[in-house]
């Protein structure tokens, strides 16, 4: 069959050559970049066997060596920078949303796509001989599975940090800017692909996502869960949409006729790719998950016929059997293959390198000085000052004794959030170090005091090995630790992985390598020395030559040891005695590798000594919060208040509440710097701190930005993209997806601690009376609002002007909803005339007659001001005819 197709392809080439076509130098027409893409797709499709077509429909797409087509993996991530070692790490997505700066968002993701193309240009993509088992290299492609535009419905959801918050409009605007920055504006090629995920009605629970069914009123579907997706599809032109794990109306989202066919393809006219979330097709039939289908054959057939083109996983291998049994036709696969092949051509991955508009981007364009500066600017803009009692901030840089306490103060990796790269070493700066650098003439007292979520203080002893040099590692490019080592290194912290071009060390292969790590530890205490080893291949831990623990066979994991557990195994040590620690690790031929190793002592957390230590400080900076090792995607976490990546309560962990109380009781002023990807409920302790700075996960420059704000080198202007509730008690049932039960500022009728859109400045602003370009409009029209804003303080500063719409004749509508915003810089004493256009969609609500959104005639209020709070807003009555 295939031989006939190849001969036919060759005949086409000969025919074109005889007619004097420019394709004479190409073996097959699909290789000719001068042909229209449709013709190239037709030709390549004609050359593929059914088995090869199936092999191209999974994220790890196989190579087709006879046609010169290398393997390709569709799975890469760039939530806030590409996931690779040495990339620029921008603030986490929720922090970027707090900037309310869509122009900067576009600039950031233009930089991210620059780094993606630079990485592509410096990587080897000629991966032939790749089968369904191996596919292409992970995290080395041009298709990036971001943005996450799910609505952050409930602050307990662990993945909300990846989103742009709880508002559909803000999410759509920031997501659209990301898409445009990632995909570029070249007339011939997409720079990269962006991917709108997770479609749809998806926002937790992490532990139930593979079996959870969601049914919501149509009003919620259209007014809350779909608007951002619609904006990215119909306006931003996103080229990939990822269907979610959960079921919607009883059907898995990757097999949902309503979501994928009726809405996405038919109503919105989407022509590009749909990819599944990873393992989502397996959820259709796996026991204990959705169990809506009997097996992989039925699940894969349903997914493909519903429009899921690419599976992240391997269930689609069953499509070969499905064709043999007559349950699906090759022509059905061709519908998806046309979209897949078109995408590959539009990315230029099969065209000569000299035609690549970004061919000159290289290693120097990754983490360049300009990119580093932009990451710093973005982190500054993301800082949200929530309280500043008595103007305690900004602090003086000299003459103060400053105590810095708390588990996040010296935690560099916390700042990177999740789905992150790792910045170059000189850009790895903790909040503590940034404070020291910012105020070199101040006296700094530091104490970590406790861990994030349990009643212990963990003392890391890896750095004490080998006389303070750390754990000594020797690497071998074979699995048996034979011959001379190819690399050597000392480690104070072992958290290693291969992903994209991550390697354990320079010169070490990605697969088929081994490591011997050794160290002499002279105990400085008597008691239990805790250890933890995580790795997905074989390893063995020995103490004084005795095997203490081992893993004899590879294990499968997506998480690189994600999450923290309160318990760890241990062995006894005696003060003054020496112990030989040896860890051996061997990596096989396939898959990614990871290895983490911890060696630590756990002491009960007590705060009397901390209070004594800081008693002479002029001010206490407590760096509190959580981290992406406690909240995130489907994690192994079971501390009190946390469950599987989600939270069960939004207050600070109890141990940090105890620390805060101890610091408050010193009588010294307390400045809280909170690091989290979600809202924290400070209601019960709001009187125990004089200032609160929400610092999120600020990326590589997060520490610098905190110091900039604390010491007044940057005037904060970030705004909350989520509601900070007072306590968990104000939240509805976390499994309830009905918005009008009290979720988000659009439906919450209580009093928040800090409202959506809220944030303070070191200056002050006054809003004058706004004017409208029209007193009323016809349904489907638009109107301009011009707001005079005066900086009435003595410092230049940014202000975020926000426009909300309140429908007066629509009792089912939200209380109010954001429909416009603009971040503007206003010099001290000056007035800016801020013009914002309200598009027709600003007045759209669900219309059950057409089962869609439509502009609704009626009476409205246009609200404008500095936050969503009624006291911060002025109103103009308006009519849509």
């Amino acid at each position: 069959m295939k031989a006939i197709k190849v001969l036919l392809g060759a005949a086409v080439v000969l025919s074109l050559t005889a007619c004097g076509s420019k394709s004479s130098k190409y073996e097959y027409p699909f290789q000719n970049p001068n042909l229209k893409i449709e013709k190239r797709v037709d030709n390549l499709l004609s050359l593929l066997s059914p088995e090869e077509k199936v092999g191209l429909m999974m994220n790890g797409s196989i190579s087709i060596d006879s046609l010169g087509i290398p393997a390709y993996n569709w799975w890469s991530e760039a939530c806030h920078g590409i996931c690779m070692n040495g990339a620029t790490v921008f603030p986490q997505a929720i922090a970027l949303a707090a900037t309310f700066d869509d122009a900067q968002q576009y600039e950031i993701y233009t930089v991210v796509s620059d780094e993606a193309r630079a990485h592509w240009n410096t990587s080897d993509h000629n991966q032939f001989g790749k089968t369904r088992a191996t596919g292409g290299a992970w995290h080395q492609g041009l298709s990036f599975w971001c943005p996450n535009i799910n609505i952050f419905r409930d602050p307990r959801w662990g993945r909300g940090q990846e989103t742009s918050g709880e508002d559909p409009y803000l999410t759509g605007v920031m997501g659209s800017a990301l898409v445009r920055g990632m995909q570029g504006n070249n007339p011939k090629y997409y720079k990269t692909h962006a991917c709108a995920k997770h479609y749809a009605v998806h926002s937790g629970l992490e532990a139930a996502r593979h079996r959870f069914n969601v049914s919501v009123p149509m009003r919620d579907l259209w007014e809350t869960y779909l608007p951002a997706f619609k904006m990215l599809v119909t306006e931003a032109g996103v080229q990939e949409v990822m269907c979610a794990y959960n079921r919607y109306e009883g059907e898995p989202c990757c097999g949902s006729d309503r979501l994928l066919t009726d809405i996405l393809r038919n109503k919105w006219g989407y022509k590009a790719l749909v990819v599944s979330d990873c393992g989502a097709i397996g959820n259709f039939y796996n026991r204990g998950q959705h169990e809506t289908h009997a097996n992989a054959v039925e699940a894969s057939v349903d997914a493909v016929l519903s429009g899921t083109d690419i599976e992240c996983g391997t269930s689609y291998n069953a499509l070969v059997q499905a064709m043999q049994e007559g349950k699906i036709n090759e022509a059905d696969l061709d519908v998806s293959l046309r979209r897949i092949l078109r995408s590959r051509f539009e990315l230029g991955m099969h065209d000569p390198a000299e035609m690549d508009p970004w061919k000159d981007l290289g290693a120097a364009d990754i983490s360049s000085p300009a990119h580093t500066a932009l990451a710093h600017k973005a982190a500054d803009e993301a800082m949200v000052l929530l309280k500043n009692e008595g103007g305690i901030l900004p602090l003086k840089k000299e003459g103060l004794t400053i105590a810095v306490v708390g588990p996040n103060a010296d935690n560099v990796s916390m700042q990177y959030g999740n789905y992150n790269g790792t910045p170059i070493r000189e850009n790895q700066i903790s909040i503590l170090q940034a404070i020291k650098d910012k105020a070199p003439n101040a006296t700094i007292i530091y104490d970590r005091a406790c861990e994030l979520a349990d009643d212990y203080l963990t003392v890391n002893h890896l750095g004490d090995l080998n006389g303070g040099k750390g754990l000594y590692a020797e690497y071998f490019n074979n699995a048996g630790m034979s011959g001379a080592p190819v690399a050597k290194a000392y480690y104070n912290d072992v958290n290693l992985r291969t992903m994209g071009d991550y390697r354990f060390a320079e010169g070490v292969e990605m697969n088929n390598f081994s490591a011997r790590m050794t160290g002499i530890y002279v105990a400085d205490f008597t008691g239990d020395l805790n250890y933890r080893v995580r790795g997905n291949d074989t390893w063995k831990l020995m103490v004084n030559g005795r095997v203490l623990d081992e893993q004899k066979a590879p294990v499968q994991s997506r998480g690189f040891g994600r999450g923290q557990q309160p318990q760890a195994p241990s062995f006894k040590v005696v003060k003054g005695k020496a112990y030989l620690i040896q860890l051996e690790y061997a990596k096989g031929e396939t898959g990614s590798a990871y290895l983490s190793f911890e060696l630590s002592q756990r002491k009960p957390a007590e705060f009397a000594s901390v209070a004594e230590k800081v008693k002479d400080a002029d001010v206490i900076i407590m760096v509190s919060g959580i981290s992406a090792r406690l909240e995130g995607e489907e994690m192994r976490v079971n501390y009190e208040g946390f469950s599987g990546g989600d939270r069960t309560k939004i207050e600070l962990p109890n141990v940090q509440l105890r620390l805060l109380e101890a610091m408050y009781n010193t009588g010294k002023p307390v400045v809280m710097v909170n690091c989290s990807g979600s809202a924290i409920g400070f209601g019960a302790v709001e009187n125990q701190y004089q200032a609160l700075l929400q610092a999120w996960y600020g990326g590589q420059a997060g520490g610098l930005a905190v110091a900039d704000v604390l010491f007044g080198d940057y005037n904060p202007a970030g705004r909350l993209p989520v509601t900070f509730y007072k306590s968990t008690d104000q939240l509805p049932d976390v499994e309830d997806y009905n918005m009008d039960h009290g979720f988000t500022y659009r439906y919450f009728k209580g009093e928040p601690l800090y409202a959506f859109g809220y944030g303070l400045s070191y200056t002050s602003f006054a809003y004058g009376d706004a004017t409208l370009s029209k007193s009323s409009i016809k349904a489907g029209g638009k109107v301009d609002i011009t707001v005079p804003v005066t900086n009435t303080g003595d410092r230049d500063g940014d202000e975020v002007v926000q426009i909300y719409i309140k429908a007066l004749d629509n009792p089912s509508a939200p209380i109010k909803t954001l429909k416009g915003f603009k971040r503007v810089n206003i010099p001290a004493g000056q007035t800016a005339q801020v013009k914002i256009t309200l598009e027709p969609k600003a007045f759209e609500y669900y219309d059950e007659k057409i089962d869609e959104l439509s502009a609704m005639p009626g009476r409205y209020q246009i609200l404008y001001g500095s936050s969503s709070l009624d006291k911060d807003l002025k109103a103009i009555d308006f009519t849509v005819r």
Side-chain angles (χ1 to χ4, degrees):
M1 172 81 172
K2 181 173 178 189
I4 295 174
K5 288 183 176 180
V6 171
L7 288 173
L8 286 172
V12 172
V13 172
L14 289 173
S15 173
L16 290 171
T17 303
C19 296
S21 169
K22 294 180 181 179
S23 67
S24 58
K25 63 180 179 180
Y26 302 105
E27 185 176 1
Y28 303 106
F30 80 84
Q31 297 168 331
N32 184 353
N34 299 309
L35 289 180
K36 289 184 177 180
I37 285 181
E38 289 76 10
K39 291 184 178 294
R40 300 177 74 184
V41 170
D42 288 343
N43 174 245
L44 181 51
L45 201 59
S46 73
L47 301 173
L48 298 174
S49 70
E51 292 78 12
E52 287 169 337
K53 291 178 180 180
V54 171
L56 293 175
M57 293 180 67
M58 290 168 281
N59 69 288
S61 296
I62 64 171
S63 68
I64 304 173
D65 299 359
S66 62
L67 299 177
I69 298 175
Y72 178 73
N73 199 313
W74 291 88
W75 185 357
S76 294
E77 303 283 357
C79 182
H80 51 117
I82 60 174
C83 283
M84 65 164 282
N85 194 25
T88 306
V89 181
F90 290 93
Q92 178 60 281
I94 192 72
L96 292 177
T99 69
F100 277 70
D101 191 343
D102 52 317
Q104 179 178 253
Q105 181 92 337
Y106 173 79
E107 183 181 5
I108 286 170
Y109 285 95
T110 299
V111 161
V112 173
S113 58
D114 280 349
E115 295 199 359
R117 275 287 175 173
H119 181 46
W120 173 264
N121 292 345
T122 55
S123 302
D124 180 14
H125 305 109
N126 295 319
Q127 300 181 49
F128 295 101
K130 297 289 185 177
T131 66
R132 289 184 180 87
T134 57
W138 189 34
H139 281 274
Q140 290 198 34
L142 293 173
S143 42
F144 292 88
W145 291 350
C146 63
N148 183 339
I149 55 169
N150 294 130
I151 297 304
F152 200 174
R153 169 187 59 92
D154 188 301
R156 290 168 287 194
W157 182 37
R159 295 191 72 181
Q161 63 182 290
E162 302 169 31
T163 75
S164 289
E166 67 185 37
D167 181 78
Y169 178 77
L170 177 63
T171 298
V173 171
M174 299 302 277
S176 294
L178 182 155
V179 169
R180 293 185 176 105
M182 290 296 291
Q183 296 187 170
N185 54 11
N186 185 273
K188 183 175 177 64
Y189 297 112
Y190 286 105
K191 192 177 183 185
T192 69
H193 271 191
C195 177
K197 67 183 186 185
H198 310 82
Y199 183 72
V201 199
H202 179 77
S203 57
L205 294 169
E206 285 301 301
R209 62 185 184 167
H210 303 292
R211 62 179 185 273
F212 191 59
N213 180 59
V214 180
S215 293
V216 296
M218 285 295 101
R219 179 175 296 277
D220 285 346
L221 178 70
W222 285 99
E223 293 183 7
T224 296
Y225 295 111
L226 292 187
F229 285 99
K230 183 179 182 181
M231 192 181 298
L232 266 64
V233 168
T234 63
E235 298 179 31
V238 71
Q239 288 301 294
E240 295 182 24
V241 171
M242 177 181 286
C243 45
Y245 284 119
N246 55 279
R247 277 175 287 148
Y248 172 69
E249 296 182 327
E251 289 185 317
C253 287
C254 292
S256 168
D257 290 335
R258 181 191 289 273
L259 292 177
L260 296 181
T261 303
D262 296 347
I263 297 175
L264 184 65
R265 299 289 188 191
N266 293 340
K267 284 184 182 292
W268 296 347
Y270 182 66
K271 305 297 184 185
L273 291 174
V274 171
V275 303
S276 83
D277 208 337
C278 295
I281 307 305
N283 294 166
F284 286 31
Y285 59 89
N286 287 335
R287 186 176 299 274
Q289 297 178 348
H290 295 315
E291 295 190 54
T292 53
H293 296 69
N295 49 48
V297 168
E298 290 189 11
S300 299
V301 167
D302 193 7
V304 171
L305 295 180
S306 296
T308 301
D309 304 305
I310 295 175
E311 181 211 7
C312 182
T314 56
S315 293
Y316 273 11
N317 283 321
L319 290 169
V320 175
Q321 179 183 342
M323 285 187 287
Q324 293 169 348
E325 295 175 353
K327 295 180 178 178
I328 196 169
N329 299 317
E330 187 175 349
D332 297 319
L333 303 190
D334 288 350
V335 174
S336 289
L337 260 296
R338 287 186 178 279
R339 292 192 279 254
I340 292 169
L341 298 180
R342 182 180 184 86
S343 292
R344 293 179 70 143
F345 288 127
E346 288 177 337
L347 285 165
M349 62 177 65
H350 299 303
D351 289 355
E354 61 267 21
M355 297 185 67
D356 181 355
W358 306 280
K359 63 181 180 300
D360 294 328
L361 294 171
D365 298 291
I366 298 176
S367 200
S368 68
H371 297 181
T372 297
L374 182 59
H376 190 168
K377 179 176 180 288
D380 277 342
E381 288 199 10
M383 297 294 112
V384 186
L385 183 61
L386 294 174
K387 184 179 181 181
N388 192 20
E389 187 177 280
I392 185 175
L393 296 178
L395 301 173
K396 295 187 298 182
K397 296 178 183 176
E398 299 183 357
L400 292 181
T401 296
I402 301 171
V404 182
V405 302
N408 273 332
D410 201 26
N411 187 350
V412 175
S413 62
M414 168 277 301
Q415 299 175 143
Y416 309 151
N418 72 351
Y419 280 95
N420 60 286
T422 302
I424 56 178
R425 185 165 297 277
E426 53 263 41
N427 287 334
Q428 298 178 19
I429 304 168
S430 70
I431 292 173
L432 173 65
Q433 187 60 52
I435 290 173
K436 290 179 176 179
D437 293 344
K438 183 70 71 172
N441 296 321
T443 300
I444 306 295
I445 302 169
Y446 168 65
D447 198 304
R448 189 163 87 250
C450 65
E451 301 306 315
L452 288 171
D454 69 358
D455 290 327
Y456 288 85
L457 176 65
T458 301
V459 180
N460 177 24
H461 284 293
L462 274 182
D464 298 332
L465 271 58
N466 295 317
K469 292 181 179 179
L471 188 66
Y472 176 63
E474 299 173 290
Y475 292 100
F476 307 84
N477 279 334
N478 57 72
M481 293 181 292
S482 61
V486 296
K488 304 174 184 179
Y490 282 97
Y491 293 101
N492 291 327
D493 176 69
V494 175
N495 190 15
L496 304 166
R497 57 180 171 173
T498 60
M499 182 177 68
D501 67 350
Y502 275 71
R503 298 171 187 270
F504 276 33
E506 189 67 30
V508 179
E509 298 292 342
M510 303 291 283
N511 294 291
N512 193 32
F513 70 90
S514 56
R516 180 188 296 118
M517 301 182 174
T518 58
I520 298 292
Y521 171 61
V522 179
D524 61 356
F525 74 102
T526 296
D528 292 329
L529 186 62
N530 297 278
Y531 70 89
R532 179 176 285 116
V533 184
R534 293 192 184 101
N536 64 339
D537 274 81
T538 59
W539 53 263
K540 179 166 58 176
L541 177 65
M542 294 172 284
V543 177
N544 291 338
R546 178 176 63 89
V547 176
L548 190 65
D549 204 350
E550 63 182 324
Q551 181 171 284
K552 295 182 177 180
V555 297
Q556 295 295 320
S557 174
R558 289 187 56 210
F560 296 111
R562 284 187 307 216
Q564 293 181 332
Q565 297 294 324
Q567 302 298 323
S570 63
F571 61 94
K572 299 289 185 181
V573 296
V574 177
K575 186 175 181 178
K577 286 193 173 183
Y579 299 84
L580 173 62
I581 312 295
Q582 185 166 320
L583 176 63
E584 297 178 350
Y585 175 80
K587 177 69 185 72
E589 293 285 353
T590 61
S592 59
Y594 78 87
L595 176 67
S596 68
F597 178 43
E598 302 167 17
L599 196 65
S600 61
Q601 174 191 6
R602 281 165 57 83
K603 300 178 180 180
E606 59 82 26
F607 302 127
S609 63
V610 181
E612 177 67 20
K613 187 175 181 179
V614 305
K615 66 179 182 179
D616 295 326
D618 296 299
V619 62
I620 299 170
I621 300 173
M622 178 172 162
V623 189
S624 67
I626 50 182
S627 82
R629 296 190 69 182
L630 292 174
E631 59 173 347
E633 182 179 5
E634 198 173 2
M635 298 165 64
R636 299 187 297 273
V637 179
N638 58 10
Y639 291 114
E640 182 186 359
F642 299 88
S643 176
D646 297 317
R647 291 187 290 160
T648 58
K649 61 181 183 179
I650 64 172
E651 289 74 16
L652 280 177
N654 288 334
V655 68
Q656 293 188 56
L657 293 176
R658 288 173 47 213
L659 173 61
L660 174 59
E661 182 179 25
M663 296 302 97
Y664 168 71
N665 287 336
T666 66
K668 303 295 183 178
V670 176
V671 174
M672 291 284 284
V673 175
N674 188 71
C675 303
S676 63
S678 52
I680 301 293
F682 288 105
V685 295
E686 203 266 344
N687 67 322
Q688 294 183 12
Y689 53 83
Q690 281 68 46
L692 174 60
L693 178 66
Q694 177 63 24
W696 314 104
Y697 305 135
Q700 67 183 45
L704 300 176
V706 167
D708 287 343
V709 172
L710 291 180
F711 293 97
D713 287 347
Y714 186 81
N715 187 0
R719 299 293 186 264
L720 289 180
V722 291
T723 301
F724 269 48
Y725 302 91
K726 293 180 180 179
S727 70
T728 308
D729 294 339
Q730 290 186 308
L731 297 173
D733 182 349
V734 70
E735 294 189 23
D736 184 349
Y737 274 66
N738 288 8
M739 297 302 297
D740 65 1
H741 290 178
F743 288 104
T744 79
Y745 82 94
R746 297 167 65 237
Y747 292 96
F748 178 58
K749 295 180 180 178
E751 181 183 20
L753 185 61
Y754 305 112
F756 176 90
Y758 178 77
L760 299 174
S761 170
Y762 292 150
T763 189
S764 56
F765 297 93
Y767 282 70
D769 294 332
T771 57
L772 299 177
S773 61
K774 302 173 184 177
S775 59
S776 66
I777 57 172
K778 291 182 179 180
K782 59 184 179 180
V783 61
D784 296 332
I785 179 171
T786 301
V787 184
V789 184
T790 302
N791 183 338
T792 57
D794 57 5
R795 293 188 55 155
D796 298 349
D798 287 2
E799 173 69 346
V800 177
V801 179
Q802 302 164 45
I803 310 296
Y804 297 84
I805 299 297
K806 183 179 184 67
L808 300 178
D809 295 332
N810 186 348
S812 298
I815 298 168
K816 64 174 77 76
T817 188
L818 183 74
K819 291 298 182 180
F821 62 86
K822 185 173 289 186
R823 182 172 180 139
V824 292
N825 182 266
I826 307 175
Q830 295 191 20
T831 298
Q833 300 293 330
V834 183
K835 181 179 176 181
I836 295 173
T837 299
L838 294 173
E839 302 289 345
K841 63 187 174 186
F843 304 97
E844 286 185 344
Y845 294 87
Y846 177 65
D847 186 343
E848 62 183 13
K849 295 178 182 177
I850 61 172
D851 192 29
E852 243 278 29
L853 296 176
S854 66
M856 293 289 192
R859 296 177 302 124
Y860 293 87
Q861 281 187 333
I862 298 176
L863 308 171
Y864 62 95
S866 59
S867 88
S868 65
L869 288 172
D870 287 341
K871 70 179 184 65
D872 292 335
L873 295 169
K874 291 186 172 184
I876 301 177
D877 291 332
F878 189 70
T879 302
V880 176
R881 305 188 302 276

